[in-house]
Amino acid sequence: MLLANYSGFALEAGLDEAGRGCLAGPVFAAAVILPPDFSPRFLNDSKQLSARRREALRPEICAEAVAWAIGQASEAEISSLNIVQASYLAMHRAVAALSVSPEHLLVDGNRFRALEGYPHTCIIGGDGLYRHIAAASVLAKTFRDDYMTVLAAEFPEYGWEQNAGYPTAQHRNAIRTHGPSPHHRMGFRLL
């Protein structure tokens, strides 16, 4: 069972990102504030859930959350800033897009670039410990996967509808055969 809250503030936002280790596409982040009684049966770190479970949880999270938002940082921003700083930028954008201002940010991971006016706590493995972060994990992953599926229709040779831009053997072989697309992160080791 995931823990409800870390800070004790009612408006605690969980933050997580998806796509940090990918070779292509933007990095996505989600910020989610949940009501205290929201505890769906299968909510967990998105990496521990099947795609079907993640897709089933997404509309429930979106409907029941006090507030939720998605932020992203583009491939160009990843190249100019680096992936860590671009991940923070995506998280900052997600927080800025929330319809309700959080009192505290609970961030998955061991580091975060402070966002003025928002106290925060970093929790390593937080997406498997706290509901707010797990919900953010699910939203970041599903929205990014949807985005990569749309890109896959334009660039079918890379199999992004299956690998979402991660460095699978299939993806690397496609880069070897077809070269990189405009959506590849040129600062990353593609091969």
Side-chain angles (χ1 to χ4, degrees):
M1 182 70 130
L2 298 175
L3 300 171
N5 190 292
Y6 176 86
S7 66
F9 289 111
L11 297 177
E12 180 174 82
L15 291 175
D16 201 3
E17 54 72 29
R20 211 165 137 166
C22 292
L23 302 179
V27 62
F28 273 59
V32 180
I33 302 171
L34 296 176
D37 59 346
F38 181 74
S39 189
R41 183 171 172 206
F42 296 109
L43 184 60
N44 199 354
D45 168 8
S46 67
K47 295 179 293 300
Q48 302 301 317
L49 300 170
S50 67
R52 196 177 95 205
R53 284 248 164 92
R54 287 191 300 266
E55 288 300 328
L57 280 166
R58 181 167 110 178
E60 190 176 357
I61 293 166
C62 292
E64 298 295 327
V66 172
W68 64 271
I70 301 294
Q72 61 178 288
S74 71
E75 301 88 347
E77 290 169 322
I78 292 167
S79 292
S80 72
L81 297 171
N82 76 43
I83 188 59
V84 173
Q85 296 303 316
S87 296
Y88 299 156
L89 177 61
M91 288 183 188
H92 289 189
R93 287 174 173 163
V95 172
L98 285 169
S99 61
V100 173
S101 187
E103 299 167 285
H104 183 261
L105 306 177
L106 194 58
V107 184
D108 184 53
N110 63 349
R111 291 179 300 188
F112 181 66
R113 191 176 73 225
L115 187 54
E116 190 175 342
Y118 298 99
H120 73 275
T121 304
C122 295
I123 304 286
I124 297 170
D127 47 3
L129 297 172
Y130 291 94
R131 291 182 304 117
H132 302 300
I133 302 176
S137 171
V138 168
L139 294 191
K141 174 72 173 143
T142 57
F143 276 92
R144 186 178 189 284
D145 285 355
D146 285 355
Y147 183 90
M148 293 306 293
T149 298
V150 170
L151 286 185
E154 188 179 349
F155 296 91
E157 59 273 21
Y158 300 104
W160 291 334
E161 72 284 358
Q162 297 296 317
N163 62 49
Y166 284 92
T168 63
Q170 173 208 22
H171 188 184
R172 288 194 193 270
N173 286 336
I175 296 168
R176 202 171 279 112
T177 302
H178 303 285
S181 76
H183 299 286
H184 278 95
R185 300 173 182 176
M186 298 312 291
F188 280 44
R189 185 172 173 218
L190 299 179
L191 297 175

